[in-house]
Amino acid sequence: MPKLKTHSGAKKRFNLTKTGKVKRAHAFKSHILTKKTTKRTRHLRSTTYADVTNVDAIKKMIPYK
């Protein structure tokens, strides 16, 4: 079986926890922040977990992480 290639974009965006969950960052935090409330931007800083429907596809993209 040949080695699998890691998806370059996915390896920068996702991390795996010990239990196998996929950690991700929130979107909408890069620009046009003046119209977003302070509370909203503060909550966007925190990490969250990827949805269960996407986990299998993400794990295939980052097989060695």
Side-chain angles (χ1 to χ4, degrees), residues 13-14 24-33 36 40-48:
R13 289 173 171 85
F14 302 107
R24 67 167 179 87
H26 282 105
F28 309 109
K29 184 65 177 74
S30 56
H31 61 95
I32 317 175
L33 298 173
K36 294 167 190 160
R40 183 174 165 192
T41 54
R42 188 170 62 244
H43 284 306
L44 289 174
R45 267 184 237 143
S46 63
T47 58
T48 185

Side-chain angles (χ1 to χ4, degrees), residues 46-57:
S46 63
T47 58
T48 185
Y49 297 112
D51 194 66
V52 184
T53 55
N54 301 322
V55 168
D56 289 335

Side-chain angles (χ1 to χ4, degrees), residues 15-32:
N15 281 310
L16 290 179
T17 61
K18 280 284 193 180
T19 56
K21 291 180 182 174
V22 178
K23 276 198 328 188
R24 67 167 179 87
H26 282 105
F28 309 109
K29 184 65 177 74
S30 56
H31 61 95
I32 317 175

